[in-house]
Amino acid sequence: MQGHNHGLRDEIKDYWSRRSETFDQSPGHEIFSEEERQAWHALLLKHLGQGDGRKALDLASGTGVISHLMDDLGYQVTGIDWSEAMLERARAKAKARGRAISFFVGDAERTMEAADTYDVVINRHLVWTLVDPEACFREWFRVLKPGGRLLVVDGDFVNVGRAERAVRQLATWLERAGLLKTDPLHAPQELAQQHKSILARVHFSEGARAEAVANLLKKAGFAPVAIDSDLRRIHKSQAKNWNYFKALARGLQHRYAIVAVKPE
């Protein structure tokens, strides 16, 4: 089983390295408007507060989008990712913007950071990819200071509800008929099959539901753990980057933020 997991982890690393070239071109990844930036700031302030120089660890930081949002709010940010290709873009972006953010290669499951180091641990769209979330959550608990906060932003990208399915089918039909503009691809088509194969083998292969993630966080020792399903302001700001039906379908998805505290 361990060998299987090791191989899957290598595939996941390869997938995100290949995605790095177009990652920032996808709506929902990079920030495309000041309205969207402010919506993210509001979510971060709601659950984490102002940085005031506190230390934050951005896990699976990718090209540094969340790291920059945290830096905006005054956090001392460290971003780790196991894709060097992603980190190259993150470092270039930070240099161009004059940001003092540290980025280095690291594993979200084994960060190699000292215990009780960070005031905040944050990640976006990482949990659904995890091979062993229980081990990850224990690691995140370990590196947080007592009283520190974890913020997970994620979603169930597997289960499609009846309403979302109907909207998607209508959008596809209209696009093929030439009556609706084609939205930007979320990922290059040649990587779609690799993504599908990976998704079928991760822990949350049947969908990362908020309640299931929250229960595993409680098992790791976090308390309290709270689910925030109101991401409408972010979704509304992102909707302008898609056609009406794609935006509607995205708004129907099971997306959420979970804030979890390490007891003092």
Side-chain angles (χ1 to χ4, degrees):
M1 184 67 177
Q2 181 62 36
H4 170 76
N5 284 350
H6 179 73
L8 177 55
R9 285 159 58 87
D10 284 343
E11 284 188 51
I12 295 171
K13 179 180 179 179
D14 174 69
Y15 173 80
W16 288 112
S17 293
R18 296 173 69 190
R19 283 293 311 278
S20 65
E21 292 184 15
T22 58
F23 186 84
D24 283 340
Q25 298 173 22
S26 298
H29 286 173
E30 180 56 280
I31 306 299
F32 282 81
S33 69
E34 185 58 30
E35 179 185 3
E36 183 180 356
R37 187 179 309 281
Q38 291 303 319
W40 276 105
H41 284 165
L43 179 73
L44 299 176
L45 288 170
K46 176 181 179 181
H47 294 300
L48 304 175
Q50 288 285 352
D52 296 325
R54 291 186 293 152
K55 297 183 66 175
L57 179 63
D58 180 14
L59 295 165
S61 54
T63 63
V65 177
I66 298 299
S67 294
H68 281 262
L69 292 170
M70 296 292 284
D71 184 74
D72 291 343
L73 300 179
Y75 284 90
Q76 181 184 338
V77 186
T78 297
I80 69 171
D81 199 287
W82 59 5
S83 168
E84 183 60 46
M86 285 284 194
L87 292 173
E88 287 176 4
R89 286 164 173 76
R91 295 183 187 113
K93 190 185 300 183
K95 182 178 180 180
R97 296 177 179 176
R99 303 297 186 94
I101 304 173
S102 299
F103 291 104
F104 62 89
V105 175
D107 185 345
E109 190 173 314
R110 294 181 288 271
T111 66
M112 306 303 290
E113 294 290 287
D116 304 333
T117 297
Y118 290 94
D119 300 283
V120 167
V121 171
I122 186 170
N123 57 78
R124 179 184 67 165
H125 301 169
L126 166 63
V127 167
W128 72 269
T129 73
L130 295 177
V131 174
D132 188 352
E134 290 191 49
C136 281
F137 296 167
R138 290 193 298 268
E139 172 69 357
W140 304 351
F141 185 91
R142 184 186 69 82
V143 301
L144 274 171
K145 296 177 182 177
R149 290 181 168 242
L150 166 70
L151 183 63
V152 169
V153 181
D154 225 288
D156 177 359
F157 308 121
V158 176
N159 296 292
V160 180
R162 185 176 301 175
E164 183 187 349
R165 184 178 296 108
V167 170
R168 284 186 176 186
Q169 290 173 345
L170 177 58
T172 298
W173 183 86
L174 291 172
E175 286 178 359
R176 289 175 178 172
L179 300 175
L180 190 68
K181 72 173 184 177
T182 301
D183 276 309
L185 285 174
H186 186 68
Q189 192 61 40
E190 63 270 19
L191 295 181
Q193 195 59 40
Q194 185 181 15
H195 176 273
K196 184 178 180 180
S197 173
I198 290 170
L199 183 56
R201 290 176 289 154
V202 294
H203 178 88
F204 292 111
S205 60
E206 297 183 1
R209 307 299 292 183
E211 295 78 8
V213 176
N215 287 337
L216 287 180
L217 288 170
K218 292 173 185 176
K219 186 177 179 180
F222 289 97
V225 177
I227 298 170
D228 182 358
S229 299
D230 184 8
L231 304 185
R232 288 174 295 180
R233 184 175 172 186
I234 292 173
H235 294 160
K236 182 179 178 181
S237 67
Q238 294 174 340
K240 298 174 182 178
N241 301 301
W242 293 293
N243 64 51
Y244 172 79
F245 294 99
K246 176 64 178 290
L248 179 59
R250 190 177 178 87
L252 292 169
Q253 290 177 335
H254 177 70
R255 292 174 178 262
Y256 51 84
I258 300 177
V259 59
V261 180
K262 179 175 179 176
E264 297 193 46

